[in-house]
């Protein structure tokens, strides 16, 4: 293709082979004419002329195999010599008549330049021939020959010019096409290389997908194992906690059971034990809540907390430790500090941990706890007179399972988790914790907490799926004042599950009781949250409620304790640890104030504790106990108690199996059953299968689109269930 393009112009010329063939024919014709001549000189001349033409043609044929251009020039000169030699027997007519043949043949054989050269040579030869002959009346032939010679050159030039332009354009187009072809070949090579790389990348991606699926399966397995671990640990923690809290409550509230006066110091010490047990019980409940909602973050229950009251609680909890070691414990609280917006349980745990560490590591002197305000932050410091900490060891204090040396573990105990957990709690409050220390002088821990909560704007539709919520600016910037949440909402429900969830996981929303008729005007509240059973969510009733109150009504259906109890076939559920007051209130709500009670629990200590609770303060209960469901059924064959207190986890026949047998026997169904277990009765997270929003006025298209845009990514069936935002988790 490339070579044919380069010789394209030469391909428009004729070759010498047809001309040589014509010369052979001319030679044959001349030789035939010579043999037919009558006189010998003519015969000899024509024969020699024929031999000349034949020999020259043969030579040109051999020359064309070596050089086509030279052969073409030889053809032109052979034709010129034939015209000149033919004048001996044909006269001057062939010379003049055939003058135009030489430029014409040069044009079609070689080109216009060769045609011009041959036209000039032909003109010169014609002039010379005319002068040498000197024949009269040849000037007209000469002029005609010259004109025909240059006329044919002009005609051929005019004819070949467009052809030359076309050829030149064709060569340019071909060159461009050839360059494009080369580029396409390069692109094809790049494409094939890219395809090969993509195939390799696709193979790697498939491998990564399989690895991701395996890792996801491992993560799901670990999550299930974690949930099972939390459930088991909660059971193991709640059982002894139930004993501790139950007996301390019995001793402190009903000391007459022991038929002897108890020392006041003992009762005070037991009160400290009870407070710390309650603190641990709250932490256990938090762990269970974390597992139940499957969150990666621990939730905060923020509220306005009286800081002085919290400090007094913490000091009272650690005072026995300091008294036992003869250490002083002082506190200096700035007068402007009253309330702080925080999670009481978490911050109490932080302060208890730091004060306990200070008391354990201090042998002489004591501890001073100080609190002051710096800008908009509460600064709490705990300074001890202990041995101090070396500077290189300060960074290790807040790492999990880190203790500075083995002697500390042997002498003081601990797991090395306390400060790491405290640091996490403080950072969850948008605060920070740090430490300063000098060897032999003591250590000071600092805690910085923001006085004001940093919550999202109340009109964020991702929070409550509504564009109607308005922003209420903070009107006062007084430090230490009791703080309120940005958004207020009334909650209407029979239990407290929705209000508890909102209080716990939406710290910027304040839940108010349903006396809106008296308080709505002064509080400017336009949001009502309704939690009802699914079969009771009547759209017409919700519309009427929105009309009557003029509020935005958001309704959902979250099962409460009563619904879960009904699904299990029991009358009520009490999760250990169970206080005596709560147990008696539950029985009284069922109209049970005396009579026989059957306690079904495999823990003898638990049976003894509940029996003590029911027999204290002249209670008219008679108690029977059973170690498992099978023994309880044998007792029920002979006696019919007024109520059954049932544990779930038991050997031989557990609580669920006992309830199944009870459901199949009409004589046992009339006996109320109160479930008391250290395990959560429902391992599934709290769910709501519907959510409705009802307004007094019509919703505009723009607001409707905003609501749909907010809700669709969260509730869509194609949402990624591993993504906390698409799951709709309240934790942020």
């Amino acid at each position: 293709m490339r070579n044919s393009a380069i010789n394209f112009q030469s391909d428009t010329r004729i070759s010498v082979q047809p001309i040589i063939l014509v010369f052979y024919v001319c030679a044959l014709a001349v030789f035939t004419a010579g043999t037919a001549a009558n006189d010998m000189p003519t015969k000899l001349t024509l024969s020699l002329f024929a031999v000349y033409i034949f020999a020259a043609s043969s030579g040109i044929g051999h020359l064309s195999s070596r050089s086509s251009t030279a052969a073409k020039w030889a053809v032109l000169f052979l034709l010129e010599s034939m015209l000149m030699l033919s004048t001996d027997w044909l006269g001057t007519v062939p010379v003049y008549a055939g003058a135009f043949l030489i430029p014409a043949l040069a044009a079609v054989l070689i080109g216009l330049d060769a045609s011009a050269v041959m036209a000039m040579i032909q003109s010169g030869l014609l002039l010379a021939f005319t002068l040498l002959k000197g024949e009269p009346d040849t000037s007209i032939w000469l002029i005609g020959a010259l004109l025909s010679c240059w006329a044919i050159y002009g005609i051929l030039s005019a004819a070949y010019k467009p052809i030359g332009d076309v050829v030149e354009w064709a060569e340019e187009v071909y060159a461009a096409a050839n360059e494009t072809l080369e580029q396409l070949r390069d692109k094809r090579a790049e494409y094939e290389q890219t395809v090969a790389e993509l195939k390799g990348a696709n193979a790697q991606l498939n491998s990564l997908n399989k690895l991701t699926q395996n890792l996801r399966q491992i993560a799901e397995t670990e999550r299930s194992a974690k949930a099972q671990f939390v459930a088991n640990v909660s059971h193991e923690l709640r059982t002894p906690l139930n004993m501790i809290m139950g007996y301390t409550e019995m001793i402190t509230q009903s000391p007459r059971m022991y038929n002897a006066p108890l020392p006041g110091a003992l009762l005070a010490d037991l009160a400290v034990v009870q407070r710390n047990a309650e603190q641990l019980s709250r932490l256990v409940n938090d762990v269970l809540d974390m597992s139940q909602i499957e969150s990666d973050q621990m939730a905060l229950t923020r509220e306005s907390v009286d800081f002085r009251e919290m400090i007094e609680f913490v000091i009272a909890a650690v005072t026995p430790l300091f008294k036992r070691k003869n250490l002083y414990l002082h506190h200096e609280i700035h007068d402007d500090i009253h309330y702080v917006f925080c999670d009481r349980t978490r911050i109490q745990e932080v302060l208890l941990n730091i004060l306990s560490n200070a008391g354990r590591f201090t042998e002489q002197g004591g501890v001073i706890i100080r609190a002051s305000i710096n800008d908009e932050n509460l600064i709490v410091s705990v300074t001890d007179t202990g041995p101090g900490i070396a500077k290189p060891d300060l960074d290790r204090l807040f790492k999990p399972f880190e203790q500075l040396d083995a002697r500390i573990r042997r002498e003081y105990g601990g797991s090395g988790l306390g400060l790491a957990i405290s640091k996490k709690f403080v950072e969850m409050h948008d605060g920070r914790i740090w430490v300063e220390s000098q060897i032999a002088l003591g250590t000071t821990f600092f805690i910085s907490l923001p006085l004001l909560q940093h919550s999202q704007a109340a009109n964020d539709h991702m929070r409550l799926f509504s564009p109607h919520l308005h922003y209420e600016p903070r009107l006062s910037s007084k430090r230490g004042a009791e703080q309120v949440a940005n958004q207020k909402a009334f909650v209407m429900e029979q239990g407290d599950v929705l209000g508890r969830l909102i209080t716990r996981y939406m710290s910027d929303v304040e839940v108010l009781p349903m006396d809106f008729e008296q308080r709505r005007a002064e509080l400017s509240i336009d949001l009502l949250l309704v939690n009802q059973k699914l079969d009771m969510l009547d759209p017409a009733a919700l519309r009427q409620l929105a009309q009557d109150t003029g509020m935005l009504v958001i309704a959902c259906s979250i099962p409460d304790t009563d619904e879960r109890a009904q699904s299990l076939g029991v009358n009520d559920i009490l999760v250990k640890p169970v206080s005596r007051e709560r147990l008696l209130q539950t029985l009284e709500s069922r109209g049970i104030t005396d009579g026989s009670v059957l306690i079904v629990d495999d823990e003898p200590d638990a049976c003894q504790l509940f029996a003590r609770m029911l027999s204290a303060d002249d209670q008219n209960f008679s108690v029977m106990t059973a170690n498992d469901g099978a023994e309880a059924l044998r007792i029920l064959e002979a006696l019919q108690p007024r109520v059954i207190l049932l544990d779930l986890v038991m050997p031989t026949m557990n609580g669920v199996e006992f309830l199944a047998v009870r459901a199949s026997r009409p004589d046992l169904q009339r006996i109320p059953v109160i479930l008391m277990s250290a395990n959560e009765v429902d391992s599934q997270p709290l769910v709501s299968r519907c959510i409705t929003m009802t307004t007094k006025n019509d919703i505009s298209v723009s607001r409707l689109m905003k609501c749909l845009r907010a809700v669709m990514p969260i509730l869509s069936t194609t949402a990624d269930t591993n993504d906390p935002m698409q799951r709709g988790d309240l934790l942020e």
Side-chain angles (χ1 to χ4, degrees), residues 26 73 239 379 437 593 645 694:
C26 291
W73 283 103
T239 299
I379 306 298
S437 182
T593 58
L645 304 182
T694 309

Side-chain angles (χ1 to χ4, degrees), residues 632-633 636-637 639-641 644 658 661-663 665-673:
L633 290 175
L636 291 173
E637 293 294 338
L639 298 174
Q640 295 287 316
I644 300 174
F658 172 82
V661 175
R662 172 180 174 267
R665 295 181 52 177
D667 60 321
L668 300 182
Q669 293 180 6
R670 64 180 183 82
I671 303 176
V673 176

Side-chain angles (χ1 to χ4, degrees), residues 304-307 336-341 451 479-483:
S304 294
V305 178
D306 189 329
F307 184 75
D336 289 343
I337 299 177
H338 297 287
Y339 290 90
V340 60
F341 195 75
L451 286 173
R479 293 177 176 176
E482 183 175 2
Q483 300 170 40

